[in-house]
Amino acid sequence: MLDSQHTGSAGTAGTIHGAGQEAHTHPTNTGVDNRKFAMWTLIASECFLFGTLIGNYLIHKNRGISGPKPHEVYQIDITTLSTFDLLMSSVAMVFALYYCNARRLRLFQFWTGVVALGGLIFLGFQYIEFSHFVLKEDLGLTRNIFASSFYLLTGCHGAHVTVGVIWMLSILITSLIKGDKWFNSTMVEVAGLYWHFVDVVWIIIFTVVYLFVYV
Amino acid sequence: MSHDVKNAKNTHAHDEKAHGSIKLYVIFAVILCLITFAEWAIFKKRDALGISNHMLVFGLLLLSLVKFVMVCGWYMHLRYDHKSLTNMLIMGMVLASATFAVVAVVVHPKDCSASKGECFRLGDSTAVPEEPAPASP
Amino acid sequence: MSASAHSQSYSKTGLWSWITTVDHKRIGILYACSALAFMVIAGIDALLMRSQLALPDNGLISAETYNGLVTMHGTSMIFLFIMPLSAGFFNFFTPLMIGAPDVAFPRLNALSFWIFLFGGLLLNFSYLIGQMPAVGWFAYANLTLRQYSPTVSVDFWVWGIQILGLASLIAAINFFTTILNMRAPGMTLLKMPIFIWATLVTQVLLILALPVITVACVMLSFDRAFGTGFFDPGAGGYVLMWEHLFWVFGHPEVYILILPGMGIVSEILATFSRKPLFGYSVMVYSTCAIGFLGFAVWAHHMFTVGMGPWANALFSAATMLIAIPTGVKIFNWMSTLWGGKIRFTTAALYAISFIAMFTFGGLSGIMHSSPPIDTQHHDTYFVVAHFHYVLYGGAVMALFGGIYYWFPKVTGRLMNETLGKIQFWLYMVGFNLTFFPMHFLGVQGMPRRIYTYAPDRGWNLWNLICTMGAYLTAIGAFLFAVNVFWSLFKGKIAGNDPWDARTLEWSLPSPPLEHNFDVIPTVTHLDEWWHRKYNEDGTRKVLAPAPHFDPQTIHLPNPSYWPIVLAFGILLIGTGFFLPSFGHVISIGTSVTGALVVLGSAFGWSYEKA
């Protein structure tokens, strides 16, 4: 009951994607909470967003007139590590929701923090990768069409991770302030869906962009 | 689409079954790591393993599909949720992949993929090769 | 009843109450009023263009201005008139027709309206500084690159579309969730009014198609702002990539425009023939089929770019397929009228004319689905005639019908039927005078988007007639405005159910109370309200007494100013991209400020008690 009295908690994404609705939500037709339903709708939409970006990348990746080609710059080892990191943050997300449901405050906060940390580490990897490309490989945004489409795709994914990190930190801070009064399972679940989807997108990017580099 | 009692219950806080167990999650995490490792290993050893390009694409896509299904089905607990949510994801994925597969095929001129590096400077003139010019009246 | 309802429903007055409103009915009114205001601007664009083309070698407006008018007319009519006017109907009537107290996310609903309004104002700001985008509503690359459009004009288009797209996406997610999750008990999917089905499919199209134009606009703005080469063949990019991305969005967009109109017409025809809609479930399936096939036909806009015979053949076949569900709908509308006790009210006239005009446009559409014929018609006035028949004769006529039909529900007063019928005939005659001769002009070879023509081409007469028709339509539009204002104050009091209609919104007072339903209805039939009024044999039932209503059960969402603040932040983010000429500090500073406003208001929003 407690969680239904405090509805709002999320950061940017949470709001845009429909946080904080009226507390007295009556039963819905599907039995699924409206916020969760809306998040899945957004995910369907995001399929097209990333579909466009990935399609765009695949069409352009070998059309760079000058400058490095994909297989000359990708560092699969580091990318594998960052893939691993994002997968593990997804696992942490599952734990966070589990302990939120179980009303275990400290464990919930710990795992939410781990999720945010995982996201930050991923962004760190991305920073290392981008700066390596720009500084060592002379592959800036406008160097060639491959670079442009690559940065557009991974940059968009990175922006999604950033929103997710802000969201997770907002949940963590709200929980730290409100303590035992705030176990907003639905909110955490919706944030989790977003986070997992960002992870799923990376699973596809890792294979289609990085591992298919010679194809 | 009537009110589904079983699904409504899933949103309740302490429903163990709806959200799996820690043990299951850990097992899945290990499997996900193993698959990622396998992808990396296959990529690194593709020459030693003597895998053809087609097999490589097929195998890696299959592995990432397995990861995709695991995360969506269990971590995002689609398996336990109302099926309309699964339908939404499938609708988005299928329509998007189909659309951009067609875009890629239609946009990509054949001669360009055959001779990488040659056609880049030609710009878009490669897109109109074999069409006969419309007959003038 | 109505008078007391009026005082209760809109007792909270004043500008602030409208700015902070989260009531879906008020947001619907806001959408409709803004859409009609933008229509006036876009209509003036059209009149200017037609005045220029009335005579050969005319020097009324310059070529550059003409290009700007073409672009702004198309962009505004689509994104600032038809879409938001449809959104107005979605907003006002979706919860009423499905028996819900409100939409799923009332504050998001307000947010999408404010984002839409700011986006529309941003786009229209280009008039004020004389920088109208002059690239067509489809903004084909590479005319849009900095090299060929060096001023900020194209940025207005890109950022206008980007912001309007965001507004539509948020609204679409909201309505999709509302329809699938908040229907009254007993209202299964196949007991939903057909307008709700049209709304639902429209939202699906929006949800799936909008991200594509978003990415395309990001690519274009990267090309313009940072010098990437996505659409620059010299850098390895594809000019055609823009066309593909645009039409992958753009063709579903066409159905986004027409499907709500089809839904409205279906409701009106059933009401005024006093018959159930013929073949309801077939109508539902054909709506879904149109929506699905809408994703598979984008390249029929590109038959002349040289995709090759296979692609042309496949897209041609897919396009012809769409004629099947569309034809099914046309026959179902006619069968709905067949044998009905038709009342020729203004709304009914609009709906009936929709069938005829839409069929005209549909037939010329099928002609275009054949690549050889399309190659002949491409970029001629024949195409202009075609899409005005479907979008104006189709979508706009249906929306006007919808206004006449639902005006009494929104305001409590009926619109003046005499003025309405005069307006209808002015529209009907004016529209056909304007656009039917364009078929001839097109076949005679007059290209689209030319700002003038030589007197010896044989186009003079038809062009003059087109222009006369356009002015006739303008008189009609003026009469419409007169009618609205007259009816607002002097119109006949409508009562709950002036048309003896079929769907749930007519069971409520006009205008409805702020909380919509005293007690959420339980639905047992398609056309629930009709079945509450009439027995199967057509005799009147005694209405069941209203169930006990406990005012304590009503919970209204609190008004909120965060939506407008957040929307303003999004406007600021976009505005930053217009300011590089004032220095990078101001430009980036504005965008960053906007992002901070968005973030801050998101937190304010989240911690606010809804």
Side-chain angles (χ1 to χ4, degrees):
Chain A
M1 274 286 68
L2 280 171
D3 56 339
S4 64
Q5 282 161 15
H6 306 270
T7 44
S9 77
T12 329
T15 313
I16 291 175
H17 309 330
Q21 288 315 304
E22 57 266 65
H24 69 294
T25 41
H26 51 85
T28 58
N29 297 106
T30 55
V32 179
D33 184 276
N34 278 339
R35 283 167 284 175
K36 191 168 144 187
F37 200 87
M39 178 48 80
W40 274 107
T41 317
L42 180 82
I43 287 173
S45 181
E46 298 266 299
C47 288
F48 258 80
L49 185 85
F50 283 104
T52 317
L53 289 165
I54 292 173
N56 185 50
Y57 168 83
L58 290 179
I59 286 166
H60 286 123
K61 69 170 180 174
N62 287 326
R63 285 180 65 86
I65 286 172
S66 58
K69 304 222 177 308
H71 61 86
E72 294 163 9
V73 291
Y74 286 162
Q75 303 155 295
I76 302 294
D77 299 351
I78 290 183
T79 313
T80 309
L81 273 182
S82 70
T83 308
F84 172 76
D85 164 67
L86 207 56
L87 273 176
M88 288 307 103
S89 80
S90 234
V91 178
M93 185 68 240
V94 174
F95 290 161
L97 177 61
Y98 181 88
Y99 288 115
C100 181
N101 282 334
R103 299 287 182 271
R104 303 276 294 274
L105 183 66
R106 292 297 160 211
L107 282 166
F108 162 54
Q109 289 169 346
F110 171 76
W111 286 111
T112 309
V114 172
V115 177
L117 186 70
L120 285 172
I121 293 173
F122 180 84
L123 290 173
F125 273 120
Q126 199 161 38
Y127 176 78
I128 292 170
E129 184 188 35
F130 282 11
S131 54
H132 173 83
F133 282 7
V134 174
L135 302 175
K136 298 274 166 50
E137 309 277 1
D138 186 26
L139 190 72
L141 175 66
T142 57
R143 183 75 170 87
N144 61 23
I145 191 83
F146 148 65
S148 306
S149 50
F150 169 80
Y151 285 122
L152 195 65
L153 168 58
T154 50
C156 181
H157 182 265
H160 276 76
V161 175
T162 312
V163 170
V165 169
I166 294 173
W167 197 348
M168 284 305 148
L169 289 176
S170 314
I171 288 178
L172 181 59
I173 291 167
T174 310
S175 172
L176 286 172
I177 293 171
K178 297 198 173 173
D180 274 332
K181 290 199 299 282
W182 195 87
F183 283 108
N184 192 339
S185 295
T186 311
M187 202 65 251
V188 176
E189 191 184 346
V190 171
L193 290 177
Y194 176 83
W195 190 261
H196 292 309
F197 181 71
V198 172
D199 181 33
V200 162
V201 170
W202 188 257
I203 288 175
I204 296 169
I205 291 179
F206 177 62
T207 303
V208 174
V209 172
Y210 288 92
L211 297 183
F212 286 178
V213 63
Y214 290 105
V215 176
Chain B
M1 281 263 190
S2 62
H3 179 59
D4 190 337
V5 183
K6 188 169 140 263
N7 280 308
K9 237 171 131 182
N10 289 344
T11 55
H12 281 199
H14 293 278
D15 200 5
E16 281 272 313
K17 203 182 161 205
H19 292 292
S21 66
I22 288 287
K23 195 175 145 198
L24 183 79
Y25 291 147
V26 172
I27 294 171
F28 268 58
V30 172
I31 297 174
L32 285 170
C33 289
L34 286 178
I35 294 178
T36 308
F37 178 76
E39 287 177 327
W40 174 79
I42 292 172
F43 178 82
K44 285 284 169 186
K45 301 285 174 200
R46 64 190 177 284
D47 294 333
L49 291 169
I51 304 173
S52 72
N53 240 352
H54 290 294
M55 278 309 289
L56 187 73
V57 169
F58 180 75
L60 289 176
L61 271 183
L62 198 67
L63 286 177
S64 80
L65 187 71
V66 172
K67 289 205 285 187
F68 183 94
V69 171
M70 284 171 74
V71 174
C72 291
W74 278 267
Y75 283 7
M76 297 166 95
H77 44 80
L78 271 180
R79 236 180 79 81
Y80 309 105
D81 255 328
H82 198 274
K83 65 180 186 312
S84 64
L85 304 182
T86 315
N87 292 342
M88 270 194 262
L89 180 71
I90 291 174
M91 177 177 72
M93 288 298 296
V94 168
L95 271 178
S97 339
T99 304
F100 290 101
V102 175
V103 169
V105 169
V106 173
V107 161
H108 231 317
K110 277 180 223 109
D111 48 342
C112 194
S113 53
S115 57
K116 278 178 194 163
E118 304 297 279
C119 65
F120 297 145
R121 280 158 217 284
L122 297 177
D124 284 287
S125 59
T126 49
V128 264
E130 65 260 316
E131 277 276 280
S136 49
Chain C
M1 177 70 189
S2 175
S4 68
H6 198 280
S7 59
Q8 270 180 36
S9 161
Y10 289 20
S11 57
K12 289 183 237 162
T13 51
L15 186 62
W16 187 246
S17 75
W18 284 89
I19 287 176
T20 59
T21 187
V22 291
D23 178 2
H24 69 95
K25 297 181 286 301
R26 283 190 169 206
I27 293 169
I29 293 170
L30 286 172
Y31 259 116
C33 293
S34 331
L36 290 170
F38 285 127
M39 181 203 74
V40 172
I41 300 174
I44 291 172
D45 289 348
L47 281 186
L48 285 172
M49 287 191 290
R50 275 324 314 174
S51 309
Q52 161 69 17
L53 289 175
L55 302 169
D57 283 337
N58 201 351
L60 182 69
I61 44 182
S62 69
E64 187 61 21
T65 312
Y66 187 90
N67 289 346
L69 292 175
V70 169
T71 310
M72 287 303 287
H73 169 74
T75 311
S76 305
M77 281 296 185
I78 287 165
F79 292 100
L80 302 180
F81 170 49
I82 300 184
M83 280 173 76
L85 189 53
S86 309
F89 285 117
F90 301 159
N91 262 289
F92 204 100
F93 293 105
T94 300
L96 300 183
M97 287 172 111
I98 63 173
D102 206 324
V103 292
F105 306 104
R107 287 183 297 174
L108 277 190
N109 203 15
L111 176 68
S112 43
F113 169 72
W114 293 113
I115 296 178
F116 149 73
L117 185 66
F118 289 148
L121 292 176
L122 179 72
L123 191 59
N124 277 275
F125 190 69
S126 63
Y127 288 115
L128 297 181
I129 61 167
Q131 295 282 357
M132 288 180 279
V135 288
W137 87 278
F138 34 77
Y140 275 178
N142 47 7
L143 179 60
T144 46
L145 299 187
R146 200 161 274 294
Q147 195 181 350
Y148 305 105
S149 298
T151 63
V152 292
S153 61
V154 173
D155 296 316
F156 277 113
W157 189 89
V158 174
W159 282 98
I161 297 300
Q162 200 72 287
I163 292 174
L164 292 168
L166 181 64
S168 296
L169 181 66
I170 295 172
I173 291 176
N174 200 348
F175 285 107
F176 188 76
T177 310
T178 305
I179 294 174
L180 286 183
N181 236 1
M182 307 220 0
R183 300 185 311 278
M187 184 178 277
T188 55
L189 287 177
L190 284 177
K191 283 183 186 143
M192 298 198 302
I194 191 77
F195 176 68
I196 298 300
W197 263 108
T199 309
L200 181 69
V201 176
T202 307
Q203 309 314 322
V204 174
L205 293 178
L206 282 165
I207 287 163
L208 299 182
L210 281 168
V212 183
I213 192 72
T214 304
V215 171
C217 281
V218 169
M219 285 161 72
L220 179 55
S221 49
F222 268 46
D223 271 12
R224 290 179 57 83
F226 308 125
T228 55
F230 289 116
F231 305 119
D232 178 8
Y238 274 116
V239 174
L240 284 185
M241 192 64 192
W242 172 269
E243 289 194 30
H244 278 290
L245 292 182
F246 184 84
W247 288 116
V248 166
F249 153 77
H251 202 84
E253 170 72 19
V254 174
Y255 295 106
I256 290 164
L257 299 173
I258 192 70
L259 281 176
M262 289 177 164
I264 291 171
V265 164
S266 308
E267 296 292 346
I268 295 177
L269 288 177
T271 296
F272 291 110
S273 333
R274 294 178 64 84
K275 272 175 66 187
L277 182 69
F278 187 89
Y280 166 84
S281 49
V282 180
M283 287 296 246
V284 168
Y285 297 135
S286 53
T287 305
C288 297
I290 289 174
F292 177 73
L293 287 172
F295 276 97
V297 296
W298 76 86
H300 71 208
H301 297 266
M302 304 167 59
F303 279 150
T304 56
V305 304
M307 294 180 298
W310 272 105
N312 277 3
L314 284 174
F315 281 106
S316 170
T319 308
M320 290 174 187
L321 269 185
I322 287 202
I324 297 172
T326 315
V328 165
K329 275 175 173 276
I330 291 171
F331 282 111
N332 276 348
W333 288 319
M334 294 196 296
S335 313
T336 306
L337 288 167
W338 182 261
K341 299 194 191 86
I342 306 174
R343 283 169 291 164
F344 288 100
T345 60
T346 313
L349 288 176
Y350 271 107
I352 293 165
S353 79
F354 167 93
I355 306 176
M357 296 301 103
F358 181 78
T359 308
F360 267 57
L363 286 176
S364 53
I366 299 175
M367 293 165 77
H368 292 150
S369 67
S370 163
I373 297 176
D374 181 77
T375 312
Q376 292 291 315
H377 292 163
H378 192 83
D379 263 349
T380 69
Y381 260 81
F382 197 88
V383 177
V384 181
H386 157 69
F387 69 71
H388 279 94
Y389 264 88
V390 278
L391 290 186
Y392 187 167
V396 176
M397 287 302 216
L399 289 170
F400 270 102
I403 292 176
Y404 278 92
Y405 179 59
W406 276 312
F407 189 88
K409 183 49 64 189
V410 176
T411 63
R413 287 174 188 274
L414 289 158
M415 282 182 89
N416 186 313
E417 283 287 312
T418 318
L419 269 179
K421 281 177 185 158
I422 297 172
Q423 188 224 342
F424 166 76
W425 284 112
L426 280 173
Y427 255 46
M428 196 54 192
V429 175
F431 165 76
N432 280 297
L433 268 186
T434 315
F435 295 106
F436 202 81
M438 286 187 186
H439 291 112
F440 305 140
L441 283 172
V443 177
Q444 286 173 3
M446 180 167 169
R448 293 168 73 176
R449 307 182 202 109
I450 50 166
Y451 82 106
T452 192
Y453 51 93
D456 57 354
R457 306 302 298 268
W459 303 336
N460 304 4
L461 173 69
W462 294 128
N463 268 304
L464 188 63
I465 292 177
C466 287
T467 305
M468 281 156 45
Y471 276 92
L472 220 52
T473 320
I475 299 170
F478 177 73
L479 273 189
F480 173 75
V482 171
N483 197 348
V484 166
F485 284 109
W486 187 88
S487 310
L488 266 182
F489 301 103
K490 296 279 169 75
K492 225 167 60 185
I493 298 291
N496 290 4
D497 187 12
W499 309 125
D500 200 7
R502 317 183 68 85
T503 40
L504 274 176
E505 78 271 26
W506 300 102
S507 69
L508 296 170
S510 314
L513 305 175
E514 199 177 354
H515 60 266
N516 294 355
F517 294 89
D518 288 345
V519 176
I520 297 294
T522 302
V523 176
T524 51
H525 287 87
L526 174 69
D527 291 339
E528 173 71 13
W529 177 235
W530 182 268
H531 282 91
R532 290 188 182 193
K533 292 187 294 187
Y534 293 99
N535 293 311
E536 290 302 323
D537 56 5
T539 51
R540 253 196 189 277
K541 274 184 195 168
V542 181
L543 274 186
H548 174 68
F549 167 50
D550 176 15
Q552 297 295 319
T553 57
I554 300 299
H555 170 95
L556 289 172
N558 291 323
S560 171
Y561 50 82
W562 290 117
I564 192 171
V565 177
L566 204 158
F568 186 71
I570 287 169
L571 177 68
L572 278 184
I573 296 177
T575 310
F577 283 75
F578 290 88
L579 304 173
S581 53
F582 295 92
H584 286 298
V585 179
I586 292 183
S587 152
I588 296 172
T590 311
S591 287
V592 170
T593 313
L596 289 177
V597 170
V598 169
L599 194 64
S601 45
F603 278 108
W605 175 314
S606 299
Y607 288 107
E608 177 184 60
K609 197 173 180 318

